[in-house]
Amino acid sequence: MTTAQRPTLEAVARRAGVPRATVSRVVNGSTTVAEPIQEAVRQAVAELGYVPNLAARSLVTQRTDSIALVLPEAAARVFSDDQVFPGIIRGAAQELEAADKQLVLMLAGSPAGHARVELRPACRGWSRSATSPGSPARRRCVSCSPSTRTWTRSSPPPT
């Protein structure tokens, strides 16, 4: 059984008749490439079905465009009939999708899980944590950065 290989930037460049660097600039949204060349690259991308390799892109840019939603609760509680957590997850996912980011859900429902997932002052951007009011995880999250927002069980889920 053979597996089809994903088209590469080099294949797109050959099809469009341009250097690989030009394809990279067009794929990454640069406006420094002439419109007819951009169109040739876009056509080659469409014909070959080229999709950027997000893992490779994150290695180069050192950005994943992923935001972790850390719920320091047991899975049994998060996925119970309680509608608080689904509301939080749904709201975070909608907001992140609108910002072209992806949601990574992390559960830390045990002391070992809490130890693996720590929020520190060096966190970039924002993080959201749904915790019990007095939990150590909440204290760490609240002290993480001024942009941190914490929802508790008494808070309404995002709409």
Side-chain angles (χ1 to χ4, degrees):
M1 172 162 100
T2 61
T3 57
Q5 289 188 347
R6 292 173 54 162
T8 63
L9 278 179
E10 290 80 6
V12 173
R14 278 192 301 275
R15 176 71 59 99
V18 298
R20 180 188 185 283
T22 301
V23 173
S24 179
R25 283 195 299 276
V26 171
V27 168
N28 289 310
S30 173
T31 58
T32 62
V33 179
E35 186 56 41
I37 295 172
Q38 286 185 38
E39 184 54 39
V41 170
R42 283 192 290 266
Q43 183 175 347
V45 164
E47 289 172 2
L48 294 173
Y50 174 78
V51 177
N53 182 327
L54 297 180
R57 180 173 285 177
S58 11
L59 285 173
V60 170
T61 64
Q62 296 191 3
R63 292 183 44 185
T64 62
D65 288 333
S66 299
I67 305 294
L69 173 62
V70 181
L71 298 175
E73 302 289 348
R77 182 168 178 213
V78 173
F79 298 110
S80 69
D81 290 337
D82 183 348
Q83 291 302 302
V84 171
F85 292 112
I88 291 169
I89 295 167
R90 191 172 28 261
Q94 289 170 349
E95 291 298 315
L96 290 171
E97 187 174 333
D100 201 26
K101 307 282 186 230
Q102 71 178 2
L103 173 66
V104 176
L105 178 61
M106 300 176 76
L107 302 180
S110 68
H114 286 221
R116 278 193 307 273
V117 181
E118 282 191 290
L119 300 176
R120 301 175 183 187
C123 290
R124 291 187 192 160
W126 54 269
S127 57
R128 296 183 179 193
S129 177
T131 67
S132 302
S135 80
R138 180 173 189 235
R139 285 193 296 275
R140 279 197 309 270
C141 183
V142 170
S143 67
C144 178
S145 73
S147 62
T148 299
R149 171 148 181 216
T150 301
W151 290 310
T152 65
R153 289 187 57 76
S154 61
S155 301
T159 56

